[in-house]
Amino acid sequence: MNYPHPVFMSLVLFLACVALRQGAIRFASVRLGRKAMFPWRTHVLLGKIALAGMLLGLVSGFSTTWLVWTAPGTTGLHGKVALVIGALAVSGLATGVRLDREKKPGTRLGLLHAVGNTLAVLLAFCQLYTGIDLLRAVAW
């Protein structure tokens, strides 16, 4: 019963890492002057899927604690970090949609988008460890 969420979130984290890698290519091209081909459409698609997946993971995690354990918010740090990732995901989606419409290189919005999404992926890696601890305590 507890396994779909971690499997789904692992796949989402993988997609987020691919999108982040592509975003790093864009950052190096725009900010560092390196010549590179930026896969714009792929980055946008994977980014939307990954950020929407993070939001879906937030909802599924909290609904699992509510419906199965009847105690929402009992996951401690895992749940608190998930809320921060949720806010960053909403921000990443909003800034990403705007950047996709305008396509202007070197804007502050692009830098904000990059920092927020990088932080979301780093926090998602922290979620791996806190999630494994939860699985050990509850399921294993």
Side-chain angles (χ1 to χ4, degrees), residues 56-100:
L56 187 60
L58 171 69
V59 170
S60 73
F62 276 107
S63 64
T64 297
T65 59
W66 190 356
L67 297 173
V68 177
W69 300 341
T70 64
T74 59
T75 57
L77 183 62
H78 191 76
K80 291 175 184 168
V81 172
L83 289 172
V84 174
I85 291 174
L88 289 170
V90 169
S91 170
L93 282 168
T95 57
V97 166
R98 177 122 184 234
L99 288 167
D100 188 38

Side-chain angles (χ1 to χ4, degrees), residues 20 23-24 26-28 31 43 88 91-92 95-96 99 107-122:
L20 186 65
R26 176 73 170 172
F27 178 83
R31 299 284 176 181
H43 173 74
L88 289 170
S91 170
T95 57
L99 288 167
T107 64
R108 289 184 185 160
L109 186 64
L111 196 55
L112 177 68
H113 177 76
V115 170
N117 289 336
T118 301
L119 182 58
V121 170
L122 291 174

Side-chain angles (χ1 to χ4, degrees), residues 1-135:
M1 183 68 179
N2 297 318
Y3 296 111
H5 176 78
V7 170
F8 174 74
M9 293 313 296
S10 296
L11 293 173
V12 166
L13 182 57
F14 173 75
L15 291 177
C17 287
V18 174
L20 186 65
R21 170 72 170 98
Q22 292 173 342
I25 292 170
R26 176 73 170 172
F27 178 83
S29 172
V30 171
R31 299 284 176 181
L32 305 178
R34 295 186 184 161
K35 301 256 183 203
M37 286 271 304
F38 175 59
W40 191 285
R41 289 183 184 160
T42 308
H43 173 74
V44 170
L45 177 65
L46 291 178
K48 284 180 181 177
I49 292 170
L51 292 170
M54 288 180 183
L55 290 172
L56 187 60
L58 171 69
V59 170
S60 73
F62 276 107
S63 64
T64 297
T65 59
W66 190 356
L67 297 173
V68 177
W69 300 341
T70 64
T74 59
T75 57
L77 183 62
H78 191 76
K80 291 175 184 168
V81 172
L83 289 172
V84 174
I85 291 174
L88 289 170
V90 169
S91 170
L93 282 168
T95 57
V97 166
R98 177 122 184 234
L99 288 167
D100 188 38
R101 283 188 195 144
E102 294 178 6
K103 293 183 178 66
K104 292 180 185 175
T107 64
R108 289 184 185 160
L109 186 64
L111 196 55
L112 177 68
H113 177 76
V115 170
N117 289 336
T118 301
L119 182 58
V121 170
L122 291 174
L123 287 173
F125 274 107
C126 295
Q127 291 291 80
L128 277 176
Y129 295 107
T130 59
I132 288 170
D133 286 344
L134 280 172
L135 281 175

